[in-house]
């Protein structure tokens, strides 16, 4: 029996299962991935509050970014597509929300399952005038929201609970157009987004904001560092010199023109393919300086036995003869990809410091245990993570729980285990609609769907322009596949056109 985590119900009949392609040999591919969701949605929020029009070059076009765009339009921002040079869609020009404008009756924000929308938009909405209703997907109603709602109430914002659980979606903000600001204490131990949400809007609070965290350690501090970095880039003064304190001075947010970095976390499954197939994957355009948590792949993957190098903006990962077990802490949103590699490893692994993943799109810890074990693996939950020991794996259905990172974890395991099917690969549209096409291109499969140079903010269209990947046609090495499982292949060995 498959266990369904409590805050991520299995989608009923949402899509046909996707047969995860098994690699025919060591992969040899070079590619780029779409832009960072975390950066795109932070920039969109700042642009909506800026002192003039801004431009995002090569932004992400996905469900999460589309939900943010629609939300900001509902609040009065004008967001237009303009031609650009990005591989995965057009640029965006943002005209900020007019100061003092009153919102029409019935204004509503659909958060979908996007944590950045449900948490980042309410503080911004409090700066408008009118009543704004917030709701989202059924699973979104179970994601933690209390600290953001409590914080806004503490700042004098009137919020009415909806018909669900108090301090969660749905709720309605009755905005007056002003937020005083000042000193505020929150417990952000459940998500770093609770901090980022308040910091992004804080320059527009009349007294700015002195935000203090009180509670267990804040997870994913790198994401708060990203928020501070983009604020400073827009001319905002932020003092984060004292741990667990962030002081944002009131003042204008300067309009900006920025190229959005590609999503280094979403590059993870492709890099993991190098280890799963004993091959080589190169990600072009890797930044030399970044605040993205995905840059940790450069430290994580060598612990699994991979060779990793960064030269001239190209990150190259080559898998070893086997995948080592690891002992890792604080892998944050990278954990599902890490867990998939642990399931293919030859030694035991422990992942700690990731208890907060129980409150993500689904309970990721419970989901990973259920799905790894469903394929014959041996995984258990710990108080703050996972323990995974080697076991022969077999094919089967890998449930995705409407969670993009669960879907890609299943794809990784499927590279080395025959007969794996991912329940709904379409859920990757949350942050990377191009995933299935890029995955096929990496493997050299025929009929590759490739990225286009244009699209709509909805961002769910299938791309169709050439990609820059190639795959090796060599035979699998001895022992290829999971430990104790035979080698087999269901993938074509031909290389795609360029």
């Amino acid at each position: 029996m498959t266990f369904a985590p409590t805050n991520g119900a299995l989608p009923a009949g949402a899509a046909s299962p996707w047969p995860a392609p098994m690699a025919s040999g060591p992969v040899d591919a070079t590619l780029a991935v779409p832009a960072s969701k975390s950066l795109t949605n932070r920039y969109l929020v700042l642009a909506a509050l800026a002192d003039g029009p801004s431009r995002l070059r090569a932004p992400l076009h996905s469900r999460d970014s589309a939900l943010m765009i629609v939300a900001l339009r509902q609040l009065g921002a004008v967001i237009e597509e303009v031609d650009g040079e990005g591989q995965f869609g057009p640029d965006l020009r943002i005209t900020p929300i007019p100061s003092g404008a009153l919102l029409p009756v019935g204004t509503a924000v659909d958060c979908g399952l996007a944590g950045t929308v449900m948490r980042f938009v309410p503080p911004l909405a409090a700066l408008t005038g009118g009543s704004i209703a917030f709701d989202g997907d059924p699973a979104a109603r179970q994601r933690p929201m209390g600290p953001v709602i409590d914080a806004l109430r503490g700042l004098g914002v009137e919020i009415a609970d909806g018909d669900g659980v108090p301090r969660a979606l749905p709720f309605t903000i009755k905005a007056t157009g002003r937020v005083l600001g000042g000193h505020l204490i929150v417990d952000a131990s459940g998500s770093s987004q609770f901090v980022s949400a308040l910091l992004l809007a804080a320059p527009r609070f009349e007294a700015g904001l002195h935000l203090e965290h009180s509670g267990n350690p804040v997870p994913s501090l790198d994401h708060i560092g990203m928020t501070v970095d983009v604020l400073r880039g827009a001319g905002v003064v932020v003092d984060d010199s004292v741990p667990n304190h962030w002081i944002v001075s009131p003042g204008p947010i300067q309009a900006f023109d920025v190229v959005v970095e590609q999503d280094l976390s979403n590059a993870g499954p492709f890099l993991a393919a190098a280890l799963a197939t004993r091959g080589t994957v190169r990600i072009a355009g890797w930044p030399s300086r970044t605040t993205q948590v995905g840059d940790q792949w450069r430290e994580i993957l060598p612990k699994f036995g991979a060779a990793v190098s960064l030269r001239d903006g190209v990150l190259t990962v080559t898998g070893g003869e086997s995948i080592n077990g690891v002992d890792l802490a604080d892998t944050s949103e990278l954990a599902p990809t890490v867990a998939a590699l642990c399931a293919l490893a030859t030694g035991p692994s422990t992942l700690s410091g990731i208890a907060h993943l129980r409150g993500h799109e689904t309970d990721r810890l419970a989901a990973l245990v259920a799905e790894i074990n469903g394929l014959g693996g041996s995984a258990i939950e710990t108080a703050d993570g996972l323990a995974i020991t080697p076991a022969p794996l077999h094919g089967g259905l890998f449930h995705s729980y409407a969670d993009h990172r669960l879907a890609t974890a299943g794809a990784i395991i499927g590279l080395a285990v025959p007969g794996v099917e991912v329940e709904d690969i379409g859920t990757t549209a949350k942050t990377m609609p191009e995933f299935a096409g890029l995955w096929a291109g990496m493997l050299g499969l025929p009929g590759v769907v490739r990225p286009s140079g244009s699209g709509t903010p909805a961002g769910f269209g299938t791309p169709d322009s050439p990609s820059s990947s190639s795959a090796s046609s060599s035979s699998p090495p001895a022992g290829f596949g999971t430990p104790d499982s035979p080698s087999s292949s269901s993938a074509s060995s031909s290389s795609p056109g360029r």
Side-chain angles (χ1 to χ4, degrees), residues 304-447:
F304 281 106
V308 178
S309 66
L310 176 60
R311 295 189 182 93
D312 300 324
V314 178
L315 184 73
T316 301
V317 174
T318 300
E321 288 302 311
S322 62
I323 300 174
N324 301 331
V326 295
D327 185 351
L328 295 171
D330 303 321
T331 51
S332 187
E333 65 188 36
L334 311 182
T337 297
V338 170
L341 287 175
C342 293
L344 300 175
T346 57
S349 300
T350 57
L351 308 180
S352 60
I354 51 174
H356 63 288
L357 297 189
R358 294 185 171 103
H360 278 213
E361 283 82 344
T362 187
D363 181 338
R364 285 179 171 167
L365 301 187
L368 286 164
V369 167
E371 300 314 310
I372 289 172
N373 291 349
L375 299 182
S378 177
I380 61 171
E381 285 190 63
T382 64
D384 68 340
L386 299 171
I388 302 171
T389 54
L393 301 180
H394 56 71
L397 183 63
F398 195 99
H399 295 98
S400 49
Y401 304 90
D403 188 329
H404 55 138
R405 301 207 191 280
L406 264 294
T408 56
I412 294 165
I413 293 174
L415 288 171
V417 179
V420 173
E421 292 186 308
V422 176
E423 179 191 34
D424 183 8
I425 200 64
T427 195
T428 57
K430 187 177 193 297
T431 59
M432 188 165 45
E434 303 86 354
F435 174 79
L438 291 172
W439 198 252
M442 175 186 70
L443 295 169
L445 298 179

Side-chain angles (χ1 to χ4, degrees), residues 1 14 34 52 63 77 126 162 192 201 204 232 261 299 307 317 349 351 364 378-379 389 393 419 440 448:
M1 178 180 296
R63 188 184 186 218
S192 65
R204 294 287 302 275
R232 288 173 174 160
E261 296 173 5
E299 288 74 46
V317 174
S349 300
L351 308 180
R364 285 179 171 167
S378 177
T389 54
L393 301 180
V448 177

Side-chain angles (χ1 to χ4, degrees), residues 75-172:
L75 299 182
V78 176
I79 303 178
E80 306 165 283
E81 292 183 351
V82 292
D83 290 339
E85 298 180 357
Q87 182 181 355
F88 299 99
D91 293 352
L92 296 173
R93 182 168 55 224
I94 303 98
T95 302
I97 297 168
S99 178
L102 292 177
L103 300 177
V105 174
T107 297
V109 170
D110 176 10
C111 302
L113 194 53
T116 52
V117 178
M118 68 179 69
R119 292 162 181 161
F120 292 2
V121 176
L124 184 154
L127 294 165
T128 66
S131 180
I132 310 102
F134 285 80
D135 204 352
D137 293 356
R141 292 187 171 200
Q142 299 180 52
R143 296 194 69 177
M145 274 295 300
V148 172
I149 292 173
D150 292 345
L152 291 175
R153 284 172 171 160
L155 294 172
V157 178
E158 183 180 354
I159 302 178
D161 290 324
D163 57 3
V165 177
R167 303 170 63 249
L169 290 171
F171 58 85
T172 299

Side-chain angles (χ1 to χ4, degrees), residues 268-291:
F270 299 93
L271 298 174
L275 284 77
T277 70
R278 287 50 162 171
T280 297
V281 172
R282 305 165 200 86
I283 302 293
W286 197 275
S288 58
R289 175 196 173 277
T290 183
T291 55

